Amino acid sequence: MKKQIIAMAASAAILASCGGQTTVKETTNKFDYTVEQFADLQILRYQVPGFENLTLKQKELVYYLTQAALEGRDILFDQNGKYNLRIRRMLEAVYTGYQGDKTTPDFKNMEVYLKRVWFSNGIHHHYGTEKFVPNFSQDFLRKAVLSLDASTLPLADGQTAEQLCDEVFPVIFDPTIMPKRVNQADGEDLVLTSAGNYYDGVTQQEAEAFYSAMKDPNDETPVSYGLNSRLVKEDGKIQEKVWKVGGLYTQAIEKIVYWLKKAETVAENESQKAVIAQLVKFYETGDLKDFDDYAILWVKDLDSRIDFVNGFTESYGDPLGMKASWESLVNFKDLEATHRTEVISSNAQWFEDHSPVDSAFKKEKVKGVSAKVITAAILAGDLYPSTAIGINLPNANWIRAHHGSKSVTIGNITDAYNKAAHGNGFNEEFAYSDAEIQSIDKYGDIVDELHTDLHECLGHGSGKLLPGVDPDALRAYGSTIEEARADLFGLYYVADPKLVELKLVPDAEAYKSGYYTYLMNGLMTQLVRIEPGNNIEEAHMRNRQLIARWVFEKGAADKVVEMVKKEGKTYVVINDYQKLRTLFGELLAEIQRIKSTGDYEGARALVENYAVKVDPVLHAEVLARYKKLNLAPYKGFVNPKYELVTDANGNITDVTVSYDEGYAEQMLRYSKDYSPLPSVN
Ligand code: ZN
């Protein structure tokens, strides 16, 4: 499962959703986190702080695992649609080999289209899954393709360039062909109407019948049926084509296995070695029992500094939720940031005892969760260029129940999001004055991370239900109330002197930046994600508006928080930070009471009165101001580049990391050096 940063360009405040422990690193000011922007996308880069301090053997391990990560890129392209590799290769051939005028609108728009194809690993939007609309003419593309040296084109045996155009142009240009990668529309045949390449020639009913016949309802440790195969109908017979060595995608999987075996030779310890060996075995057999054995070994490997995901992992791309897209992430533990979550967790009882909620609703014994903060070394497959900020695996429920799961947050990625947002004009537009902007610049990232840590490590785990209270008593309001509870726990404690004492914040002023951004977000700026005329639906957004509107209203008599107009624009002003903290505490006590007693009516009243409705005039103003900033709603990353350093005898003496690669440059390099699959699979 994934925690995503969804479509936001705003400052750290918006990251304070469920998920995302983050870490601040002292990075050089010179590092440029932004690469380029096109369509609705912004490309960023991230640093890998601490890589230099790994041992040579650890660096070597990271290097081999990054190679294994990059070799799987073509798999995802093919999974996302059966024409994707052909289209990518054809467009790359035009992009690099075209001898005509590269400054015409047609060429420039084709370039944007190709950049979007790289970003989405196919011709459908990575998030919305709808097919891109090309802003260049068929005529231009056909002439360009036909002008190329045919040996640079992805031609099938005996195929001419003309025939290639005839085959793939309808897929690019006809909006009725493969319009959605994942169709979830109720009542339609989701398999036949989804463009993903997980099924071929089978209907939804046939696919469902095929897998339900496999399942044994009494099996308490079921494998993840269908996870690693395409389901096809050939000669009237429905069967799985398994992705494994010797099976479908073997050319890529063999390369992955090659690098994994190299990695095995430099594993940090025996348990990590066993993890890698078992993954290799799974790639070789394709047997899903081997996959479960691998997942169990992986979840138990907690002592290694370096960790990785490599394989068929998440099933968001399959409308039936069974078949997994290929992805890889190589990472190592961020010791400093993990220390922070450990400090918070080890003081969990103190926080519980001192919280402002009624003692009847407190836990006598509370245990904090200490999530691991990791530093990503490479993103690949379905985590590239768009990535999650937190990952919780494995997905098999019985393995999670019997053996646990690993929950990680990716510190350097969140850091890159934050750093790239600095200076993008967002806070300058929406914050009231220089004082707030300076406070956010100075403290914003660290306070936001701490708030998230408090939310995750303590907030969700605090408090208790009274005996006999149904945990689902709040029904549809349950998740908003739960997120509000965790957020309020964080808001109340982020201002506590205890945090200064624990050295988690630099001083007693720091929390003010977090209070300001929280209210600015909850009262105003999160509305940029809502279409005009719509209400707020999503639980985290509801919870933020609930909290912000409630304290605004309750503090109105004392002018604790105000909305003021300056030169025709609306701003949030906080006049009394200490009183605001008291109000957060009061709301926390009330929300905990609602949760502990299962007070459905109380939950309904709070959510409906404060969390759902949007002031249309303010909304329009916020949208207009946001639009002027010209920020891209979706972000992705280029990877760093790793290179082996060898001595005269060929022995590896170091692994270097560099960050100067551009977006198109990296994509073309990957397509050249890591592209083992044929165009048709
Ligand atoms: Zn949460």
Side-chain angles (χ1 to χ4, degrees), residues 18 455-456 460 483 486 540:
C18 193
H455 173 121
E456 296 290 343
H460 280 306
E483 292 309 325
H540 293 87

Side-chain angles (χ1 to χ4, degrees), residues 1 14 20 136-137 139 259 263 285 308 344 389 392 406 442 444 467 485 502 505 519 560 591 666:
M1 285 173 286
I14 302 199
F136 52 95
S137 72
D139 192 43
W259 289 111
T285 66
F308 71 102
I344 290 171
I389 54 163
N392 191 322
K406 279 190 209 171
K442 186 170 177 191
R485 202 173 69 88
L502 292 171
V505 285
L519 286 192
V560 176
I591 294 252
Q666 178 157 96

Side-chain angles (χ1 to χ4, degrees), residues 16-61:
S17 62
C18 193
Q21 267 103 32
T22 58
T23 170
V24 157
K25 278 282 167 285
E26 282 307 316
T27 43
T28 57
N29 289 328
K30 286 191 202 102
F31 190 85
D32 188 358
Y33 289 89
T34 59
V35 179
E36 65 174 290
Q37 189 169 333
F38 50 87
D40 56 355
L41 307 169
Q42 187 185 21
I43 308 297
L44 308 175
R45 59 166 63 86
Y46 60 95
Q47 295 198 77
V48 190
F51 180 77
E52 287 81 2
N53 302 330
L54 298 176
T55 66
L56 177 59
K57 200 175 161 193
Q58 286 173 325
K59 288 181 187 173
E60 227 184 305
L61 175 59

Side-chain angles (χ1 to χ4, degrees), residues 548-563:
R549 289 247 159 234
W550 192 92
V551 295
F552 176 70
E553 187 186 293
K554 299 295 169 189
D558 297 333
K559 296 195 169 164
V560 176
V561 182
E562 289 183 283
M563 305 273 274

Side-chain angles (χ1 to χ4, degrees), residues 59 76 143 165 182 185 195 215 239 348 360 366 433 467 515 537:
K59 288 181 187 173
L76 181 68
K143 281 183 181 144
C165 292
V182 189
K215 287 175 189 165
Q239 55 184 311
V366 64
S433 73
Y515 277 20
E537 306 277 350

